[in-house]
Amino acid sequence: MFTKKFLICIFALVILILSCSCSFADDDEWICSNCGTKNNANFCTNCGNKRPEEIICPNCGEKYSLSSGIRFCGKCGAKLQSDTIGAQKYEGEGFNTPEEAVLYYLNGLKNFDIEQMLKAFAWETKIKRLSVEKFYDRMGAYIRFRGNMPSKNKFLFSVNINQSRADIINEIYRAVDFYIIGKNEGNSAMVSFNQLKRYEEIKTFVQNPMWNKIEKISKLSNIKFLSPDDVLKNKFNEKSLKRFYESLAKSTGYYCADEVVNIFAIADVEDEKLIYVPTVARYGNKWYIISNYSLLSGFLNLPAEYHAFFCGKELAF
């Protein structure tokens, strides 16, 4: 038989354990990046999203264990608020070389994985480092709908990032559209939207085999990289080449990057050639794509609808 004193001690111990557990749970509270729900468990109680394993400093990107309980960043001193735990981050971890960033993007295209393509870009890093003063000085104007508002607070910072993402997504959409449908309006299969007046026309358009053309992209192979010199030397004189490299050097300051390069990637897609000519920047020791457009694609007069990629039997320049 347990004594009354022993039972009281056991009861007090249970209460103590439960109270400690509750305090630990409060310290470990995290906010789901998928639905915004506050949680204490390992999975979100609202949507099932997995609990993040680290706290990321919103100012410098330094990472800490979620269980560390740290409240201020040891690198820059920024406060690690609870709403930074599990906060949405759009860019990937960066790449060791500019070619790796482009390969990641092209493999995302090959696998029809648009989220992989988008993770090759420096979303947060670019907006954080971008000098709007230099942007306005270069453009001579505030350009609407281009993600270039001064990021005075978290809301404007997020708006700029998502507008930039929308631009890139739209470029990918246009490249896919022009690859499938092409630009020849004289072809009866390439009917514009306002010509679809009867149900029979709409049904024929939707069921047209041309939509299956995108499947060819899965055959993308033999990716090679050419230097700007390789691409331009037979098209431009020495003076033009010098101007190209001078302009490229200036863009490093414009993007507030440590280094900027233009990449010319070319690959096989069965009987067609695919090219991609982006701007890639180094921030610290990591490389990211920062734009589907580049000075190189401008020098080659690559049309805007092909900035995300061009694929065809004849190169577009």
Side-chain angles (χ1 to χ4, degrees), residues 138-191:
R138 182 179 181 183
M139 297 301 178
Y142 167 74
I143 302 175
R144 283 185 160 182
F145 317 125
R146 290 298 303 274
N148 62 100
M149 291 188 291
S151 297
K152 295 294 186 181
N153 54 43
K154 289 182 180 180
F155 176 74
L156 292 178
F157 181 74
S158 180
V159 167
N160 280 331
I161 289 174
N162 283 283
Q163 178 57 50
S164 297
R165 279 169 52 85
D167 285 341
I168 297 298
I169 292 169
N170 184 53
E171 289 174 359
I172 294 171
Y173 182 95
R174 280 191 294 169
V176 170
D177 176 83
F178 276 88
Y179 175 62
I180 293 173
I181 297 180
K183 299 179 71 171
N184 182 9
E185 295 180 1
N187 188 322
S188 60
M190 301 168 189
V191 187

Side-chain angles (χ1 to χ4, degrees), residues 274-305:
L274 183 143
I275 63 170
Y276 179 49
V277 194
T279 300
V280 189
R282 177 173 61 82
Y283 293 101
N285 61 352
K286 293 296 182 181
W287 290 88
Y288 300 87
I289 299 173
I290 49 175
S291 176
N292 282 330
Y293 172 79
S294 65
L295 285 169
L296 184 56
S297 62
F299 266 63
L300 297 172
N301 293 318
L302 189 67
E305 56 266 24

Side-chain angles (χ1 to χ4, degrees), residues 200-218:
E200 292 77 11
E201 290 177 340
I202 296 172
K203 187 176 180 181
T204 300
F205 182 68
V206 171
Q207 295 180 353
N208 195 301
M210 68 180 178
W211 299 110
N212 298 324
K213 184 181 179 182
I214 192 64
E215 297 297 331
K216 285 184 66 174
I217 296 293
S218 67

Side-chain angles (χ1 to χ4, degrees), residues 22-308:
C22 291
S23 64
F24 291 149
D26 289 340
D27 288 341
D28 288 344
E29 184 178 79
W30 58 281
I31 298 174
C32 178
S33 61
N34 185 50
C35 67
T37 302
K38 290 184 178 181
N39 295 278
N40 300 113
N42 289 328
F43 293 88
C44 177
T45 55
N46 183 53
C47 70
N49 196 35
K50 187 177 179 181
R51 171 185 182 150
E53 297 178 353
E54 32 184 42
I55 302 171
I56 301 175
C57 174
N59 183 55
C60 69
E62 191 75 3
K63 298 177 181 178
Y64 300 94
S65 168
L66 194 68
S67 61
S68 66
I70 192 166
R71 296 303 179 201
F72 291 88
C73 178
K75 185 176 181 180
C76 70
K79 186 176 180 180
L80 304 179
Q81 299 175 356
S82 60
D83 61 357
T84 66
I85 301 175
Q88 179 71 60
K89 183 182 178 183
Y90 292 107
E91 69 186 39
E93 297 302 317
F95 305 88
N96 295 323
T97 67
E99 290 80 9
E100 281 184 18
V102 173
L103 280 173
Y104 191 82
Y105 175 91
L106 290 177
N107 281 324
L109 176 62
K110 176 181 179 178
N111 297 325
F112 305 125
D113 186 344
I114 195 168
E115 291 302 323
Q116 176 174 329
M117 297 170 72
L118 294 172
K119 280 191 175 292
F121 288 81
W123 302 116
E124 288 84 2
T125 301
K126 176 186 171 183
I127 297 297
K128 194 178 295 181
R129 294 277 296 265
L130 184 67
S131 167
V132 290
E133 289 88 354
K134 291 182 179 179
F135 179 88
Y136 300 154
D137 182 56
R138 182 179 181 183
M139 297 301 178
Y142 167 74
I143 302 175
R144 283 185 160 182
F145 317 125
R146 290 298 303 274
N148 62 100
M149 291 188 291
S151 297
K152 295 294 186 181
N153 54 43
K154 289 182 180 180
F155 176 74
L156 292 178
F157 181 74
S158 180
V159 167
N160 280 331
I161 289 174
N162 283 283
Q163 178 57 50
S164 297
R165 279 169 52 85
D167 285 341
I168 297 298
I169 292 169
N170 184 53
E171 289 174 359
I172 294 171
Y173 182 95
R174 280 191 294 169
V176 170
D177 176 83
F178 276 88
Y179 175 62
I180 293 173
I181 297 180
K183 299 179 71 171
N184 182 9
E185 295 180 1
N187 188 322
S188 60
M190 301 168 189
V191 187
S192 63
F193 178 77
N194 61 5
Q195 290 176 302
L196 301 175
K197 297 178 180 178
R198 299 195 308 272
Y199 178 74
E200 292 77 11
E201 290 177 340
I202 296 172
K203 187 176 180 181
T204 300
F205 182 68
V206 171
Q207 295 180 353
N208 195 301
M210 68 180 178
W211 299 110
N212 298 324
K213 184 181 179 182
I214 192 64
E215 297 297 331
K216 285 184 66 174
I217 296 293
S218 67
K219 305 296 183 182
L220 191 153
S221 63
N222 195 29
I223 301 172
K224 296 179 180 178
F225 296 98
L226 302 178
S227 71
D229 277 348
D230 292 333
V231 179
L232 297 176
K233 64 184 177 183
N234 295 325
K235 299 178 180 294
F236 297 96
N237 57 33
E238 248 182 70
K239 186 176 180 181
S240 296
L241 286 173
K242 183 180 179 182
R243 183 163 58 88
F244 167 78
Y245 282 108
E246 286 174 349
S247 299
L248 185 61
K250 289 180 181 178
S251 69
T252 301
Y254 161 64
Y255 287 113
C256 296
D258 298 302
E259 188 177 354
V260 169
V261 298
N262 286 178
I263 295 290
F264 185 97
I266 185 167
D268 295 327
V269 178
E270 292 187 334
D271 59 337
E272 299 177 319
K273 290 290 183 183
L274 183 143
I275 63 170
Y276 179 49
V277 194
T279 300
V280 189
R282 177 173 61 82
Y283 293 101
N285 61 352
K286 293 296 182 181
W287 290 88
Y288 300 87
I289 299 173
I290 49 175
S291 176
N292 282 330
Y293 172 79
S294 65
L295 285 169
L296 184 56
S297 62
F299 266 63
L300 297 172
N301 293 318
L302 189 67
E305 56 266 24
Y306 296 135
H307 284 168

